[in-house]
Amino acid sequence: MAFGADELHVLRRSLAHALQSSTAPLTAVEVQDCLRLAASVDDAVQEAGRLRAFLLADLARYRAALPGSLSGYLELLQDALAAGYEPVPDDLAALRALRANPVAAALLERAQTVAERSVRRRLSTAPAPRTRLLTLAGGTDKENDPARPKPEPRPDDRPGRPIPTPGEVFPPRRKPSPPPEAGRAAG
């Protein structure tokens, strides 16, 4: 991810302000610059996600066309591993089938190491969700604003009567009554 000169200037000012011991609020211009920078970073992350999805689809296409696409697949997988890609079981199976090729055998060892490290990392830590930058004074987070009054619940939102119990909804079954005795003939 690369930043432009203006974005670096905003980032430098924001970091300097965050590190200062004073509690002076940011000016409106600084807040807007910070919010624009946060939006630019979010856009860059989304674009990187789209590019990654395209490259992974390309890798899957080459994997599906194996063994005819061997050189292209190995090249794409090497590039993907260098960019932080964690191989899926299909990648490992394809490399195992191609291990007669020396490049594929070396790539299999590397992919297995990366996959093992990935599994260990996932087992040892839980991922933290990414949050947006909304903690700036004067920011646009209207929902968490302490000065904003909380709406009171309206009395007509509550139900008029309590929720019925299962016994009210499904009354107990009654046992069938025995047939009347008077209708029997004595014999």
Side-chain angles (χ1 to χ4, degrees):
M1 183 181 303
F3 290 106
D6 292 338
E7 293 170 330
L8 284 175
H9 184 69
V10 169
L11 186 61
R12 188 176 300 123
R13 276 190 323 199
S14 300
L15 290 174
H17 182 62
L19 293 174
Q20 286 179 354
S21 61
S22 72
T23 57
L26 292 172
T27 65
V29 172
E30 290 173 328
V31 168
Q32 290 304 315
D33 288 344
C34 291
L35 291 173
R36 264 193 301 274
L37 178 62
S40 295
V41 169
D42 285 341
D43 289 343
V45 168
Q46 287 176 350
E47 182 62 30
R50 283 192 292 272
L51 178 61
R52 180 177 173 84
F54 172 77
L55 293 175
L56 292 179
D58 206 21
L59 184 64
R61 237 184 348 268
Y62 272 83
R63 184 177 49 237
L66 284 173
S69 62
L70 178 65
S71 62
Y73 174 70
L74 294 177
E75 184 179 327
L76 278 175
L77 187 58
Q78 283 176 340
D79 292 344
L81 288 173
Y85 172 68
E86 296 172 354
V88 295
D90 288 342
D91 290 320
L92 297 174
L95 289 173
R96 283 187 195 104
L98 301 169
R99 71 177 129 206
N101 181 317
V103 176
L107 198 53
L108 174 61
E109 288 180 28
R110 182 174 171 205
Q112 283 177 328
T113 304
V114 171
E116 289 171 6
R117 205 174 314 137
S118 170
V119 168
R120 284 190 194 111
R121 188 188 74 245
R122 278 185 272 148
L123 290 175
S124 67
T125 62
R130 185 175 182 280
T131 59
R132 292 186 56 124
L133 178 63
L134 294 174
T135 59
L136 296 173
T140 61
D141 187 13
K142 304 262 189 253
E143 293 177 9
N144 296 329
D145 187 8
R148 185 174 174 215
K150 303 283 185 212
E152 293 183 23
R154 296 183 308 213
D156 59 343
D157 286 345
R158 284 180 250 134
R161 66 179 209 91
I163 297 173
T165 63
E168 293 172 337
V169 176
F170 305 105
R173 290 188 175 191
R174 303 190 191 263
K175 293 183 180 179
S177 59
E181 298 268 340
R184 278 198 200 174

